[in-house]
Amino acid sequence: MAKRIEVNGLDIYYGNFLAVQGVSMTIQPQSVTALIGPSGCGKSTFLRTLNRMHELVPGARVEGKVVMDDQDLYGADVDPVNVRRQIGMVFQRPNPFPTMSIYDNVVAGVKLNSKRMKKADMDALVERSLRAANLWDEVKDRLSKPGSGLSGGQQQRLCIARAVAVQPEVLLMDEPCSALDPISTMAIEDLMMQLKSEYTIVIVTHNMQQAARVSDTTGFFNLKAVGEPGGLVEVDATDKIFSNPSVQATEDYISGRFG
Amino acid sequence: MPPTTEKTRTRGAPQRPGDRIFAAASTGSGVLILVILAGVAAFLVSEAWPAITAPAEDIPGDDSFVVYVWPLLFGTLLSAFFALLIATPLAVAIALFITHYAPRRLAAALGYVIDLLAAVPSIIFGLWGVAELAPRTVEPTRWLEENLGFIPLFEGPASATGRTILTISLVLAVMILPIITSVVREAFLQTPRLHEEASLALGATRWEMIRMAVLPFGRSAIVGGAMLGLGRALGETMAVAILLSPSGNVSFNLISSANPSTIAANIALTFPESSGLTINVLIASGLVLFAVTLLVNMGARAVINRRREFSGAN
């Protein structure tokens, strides 16, 4: 588990519109990589190309290379469904399946991957995943209740449990705390710190303090100008980005001079 | 400000005229519906009462009302049930194609055609059934009789005219297909993008995504649409009246020419030559139809409510 992702010269298009240009970076395994930047600079778009979710938009395509431990994610014979099974995702708003119980939500992805599983193994997996998401103690007595009955923070942790239940190589998080209160945010951040021992985590966040708190590496995305494509300005160790960035735009952004 | 004064203030706050008018109008409409429904029920019961209590020899067929209405009710339920059985899966498939598989342009055109179909008067479907469909069912029903005759549904002898319960079920199915499709399509279109993405991000294929996110979300709409269709199939009059040649027997045999009629068609065919108690008998059969429709709808509600917690409405 936990693989390295190498991105090389990635251009992201919607039809003929170039949305993000020339991203090259290495995402280290067993670490948290944060992507920060103003709205509309392409950081979420970039995140979604890592598990090929952006392809759901008609006309979306990429040029360049995304390689995960020698496996080209955009190779001609690569099925996006298989990519997504290895690279899990947590979304901005908690989205447990409302028609499923908490238990079924956790095993939803597992049921896709391996059709048959013993009940005892399944129970063990549910407990392991919910424990990994720090949710077990809160829901263990109501596993058959609908997941939509939980609080927002609990729902988001349920989504994390659902994502880790399939034991992915990489976990992508698209502003996972932006719909949550500070207490729930703290719970999710603690969780990320625990999960990074087993997974490669990439998080998009608008909250710079959050990036500073949880990440090992930070990438700063920005638009060159209005109407121009977005791009990666610089990527470096989080300490360095927040104390002594090499590009003036990064310093302006993190010191609150714009964005 | 102490809390007590604030409370009295809100209670005594002047109501705006717009709010009052709107509240009165919507309450009035709601009450009106109930009054009309109660009025219809009262009319049916009072007019049906003489037939229900009448001695057997006064009823057409010289037997009790129950014996008179039973074959009609059976025919109504049988044809509507098979129509629903054919139309519902087809409607769900069409709705899925329109919402999740078809290219956008084709989807829009198809949706438009489906909505148009829903507006075609039922007599047109009836004429099509008599002139076009019925003769064409003769050969296939013979085949069914020969090869699947051991199933009571296809026992035969196959009708030579094609005017069978099977044909009427097919016509009814075509008739209710658009209405079910449009209800189901609306619901599928409203499947939250979040849930579709959640399943795709887990590595679901498109079909798996539909099973995980779209179908469960549309479940109550499927039941609701089917009930709307069933309501129309149960009450359908003209198409059945011109297509079926009833013999009044009770049998599950779908392909023979000995068929039960349906309540609505029987009323339409018998009413012009009726007088006296016969009219009461027909109204009483209408009451039975009314009650059945009501029961079916309550049943559907119960099915939807049973899984309300999981509906995603919260």
Side-chain angles (χ1 to χ4, degrees):
Chain A
M1 274 196 282
K3 290 189 174 175
R4 175 193 319 271
I5 298 181
E6 305 259 5
V7 182
N8 214 329
L10 190 73
D11 295 338
I12 306 170
Y13 292 88
Y14 290 113
N16 289 325
F17 172 68
L18 179 60
V20 178
Q21 189 175 30
V23 177
S24 298
M25 69 187 291
T26 302
I27 295 163
Q28 297 293 348
Q30 297 190 325
S31 74
V32 176
T33 302
L35 307 177
I36 59 170
S39 298
C41 65
K43 53 195 190 308
S44 284
T45 303
F46 170 70
L47 188 78
R48 291 166 75 93
T49 57
L50 296 180
N51 68 343
R52 299 185 65 168
M53 280 296 281
H54 77 297
E55 287 173 20
L56 300 180
V57 179
R61 65 195 165 86
V62 302
E63 284 169 14
K65 260 192 151 21
V66 182
V67 179
M68 180 169 73
D69 275 16
D70 302 330
Q71 177 195 1
D72 183 358
L73 296 184
Y74 283 90
D77 55 343
V78 174
D79 182 356
V81 167
N82 286 332
V83 172
R84 293 178 201 138
R85 286 185 185 183
Q86 297 174 62
I87 304 182
M89 190 162 196
V90 176
F91 294 83
Q92 190 169 358
R93 276 177 54 205
N95 56 356
F97 296 115
T99 51
M100 292 185 194
S101 66
I102 293 171
Y103 186 102
D104 289 335
N105 260 291
V106 176
V107 297
V110 183
K111 279 185 176 164
L112 294 175
N113 290 322
S114 51
K115 297 294 173 205
R116 290 270 159 260
M117 203 172 180
K118 274 197 217 121
K119 175 85 172 100
D121 292 347
M122 200 97 104
D123 291 347
L125 175 75
V126 168
E127 179 170 349
R128 198 166 64 235
S129 307
L130 286 171
R131 278 192 194 283
N134 283 337
L135 191 60
W136 174 252
D137 290 327
E138 292 158 65
V139 300
K140 62 182 176 199
D141 299 321
R142 44 174 174 157
L143 292 175
S144 60
K145 289 281 186 316
S148 47
L150 300 173
S151 76
Q154 289 173 325
Q155 287 189 20
Q156 194 62 302
R157 278 179 281 151
L158 177 58
C159 292
I160 294 174
R162 179 175 67 187
V164 300
V166 295
Q167 296 175 318
E169 316 285 353
V170 178
L171 205 53
L172 307 178
M173 298 179 149
D174 189 358
E175 299 181 44
C177 303
S178 63
L180 305 181
D181 66 273
I183 306 279
S184 308
T185 301
M186 214 161 72
I188 304 269
E189 286 182 9
D190 288 347
L191 184 54
M192 278 188 257
M193 303 303 276
Q194 292 168 25
L195 289 173
K196 76 171 183 181
S197 62
E198 287 184 62
Y199 302 96
T200 307
I201 297 178
V202 186
I203 173 175
V204 164
T205 178
H206 268 126
N207 182 334
M208 280 180 277
Q209 285 76 25
Q210 180 171 59
R213 282 193 299 263
V214 299
S215 71
D216 305 294
T217 309
T218 299
F220 172 60
F221 278 73
N222 200 4
L223 291 169
K224 286 196 194 100
V226 177
E228 294 281 303
L232 180 65
V233 175
E234 69 170 306
V235 55
D236 214 327
T238 300
D239 293 342
K240 174 129 190 331
I241 290 277
F242 281 94
S243 59
N244 184 23
S246 10
V247 180
Q248 184 62 37
T250 315
E251 180 154 7
D252 289 350
Y253 183 72
I254 57 166
S255 59
R257 241 166 279 170
F258 85 101
Chain B
M1 195 190 297
T4 43
T5 43
E6 190 154 55
K7 207 171 183 180
T8 33
R9 264 210 193 158
T10 27
R11 195 180 293 158
Q15 284 195 315
R16 289 165 208 280
D19 280 347
R20 276 191 182 173
I21 293 168
F22 183 73
S26 52
T27 313
S29 319
V31 170
L32 189 66
I33 281 286
L34 288 178
V35 169
I36 291 173
L37 193 67
V40 169
F43 157 78
L44 281 174
V45 169
S46 74
E47 289 292 308
W49 193 246
I52 294 168
T53 51
E57 59 268 22
D58 294 345
I59 307 275
D62 291 336
D63 219 327
S64 75
F65 173 70
V66 175
V67 176
Y68 176 82
V69 83
W70 165 239
L72 297 172
L73 178 61
F74 179 83
T76 308
L77 292 177
L78 188 69
S79 56
F81 173 77
F82 278 99
L84 205 60
L85 203 64
I86 298 164
T88 309
L90 211 56
V92 171
I94 295 173
L96 271 183
F97 176 72
I98 292 177
T99 54
H100 285 87
Y101 284 94
R104 201 169 294 173
R105 276 223 188 118
L106 180 63
L110 257 179
Y112 187 64
V113 170
I114 295 279
D115 285 344
L116 269 184
L117 268 182
V120 174
S122 61
I123 186 76
I124 307 288
F125 286 108
L127 289 173
W128 168 74
V130 171
E132 227 8 79
L133 184 64
R136 282 169 198 270
T137 60
V138 174
E139 277 304 312
T141 47
R142 284 215 185 101
W143 184 89
L144 282 173
E145 183 196 351
E146 276 166 30
N147 296 286
L148 295 169
F150 57 91
I151 304 172
L153 296 177
F154 306 124
E155 204 180 307
S159 160
T161 57
R163 297 180 165 213
T164 60
I165 289 282
L166 183 68
T167 310
I168 200 68
S169 294
L170 286 172
V171 171
L172 289 176
V174 173
M175 205 180 291
I176 64 180
L177 191 61
I179 193 156
I180 305 180
T181 307
S182 38
V183 170
V184 174
R185 185 193 53 169
E186 265 332 292
F188 284 173
L189 277 178
Q190 279 162 21
T191 311
R193 184 118 186 100
L194 273 175
H195 300 141
E196 295 187 0
E197 289 195 340
S199 58
L200 289 171
L202 285 171
T205 61
R206 193 190 289 239
W207 168 236
E208 286 167 335
M209 179 270 280
I210 284 169
R211 266 196 350 223
M212 274 171 114
V214 180
L215 288 179
F217 182 82
R219 197 170 168 275
S220 60
I222 295 173
V223 176
M227 285 312 121
L228 264 180
L230 183 61
R232 196 170 168 196
L234 286 173
E236 178 46 39
T237 311
M238 286 324 294
V240 184
I242 63 174
L243 217 157
L244 222 49
S245 45
S247 63
N249 65 327
V250 172
S251 131
F252 280 102
N253 193 341
L254 294 184
I255 60 171
S256 87
S257 51
N259 299 308
S261 185
T262 72
I263 291 179
N266 180 65
I267 294 176
L269 291 175
T270 322
F271 197 83
E273 299 124 42
S274 301
S275 59
L277 190 65
T278 318
I279 289 183
N280 295 105
V281 170
L282 291 179
I283 291 175
S285 71
L287 177 65
V288 171
L289 186 60
F290 184 76
V292 166
T293 321
L294 216 61
L295 282 177
V296 163
N297 271 304
M298 283 160 71
R301 287 249 154 243
V303 169
I304 295 171
N305 282 346
R306 208 154 41 96
R307 304 239 331 154
R308 174 174 290 259
E309 260 193 310
F310 288 91
S311 72
N314 39 10

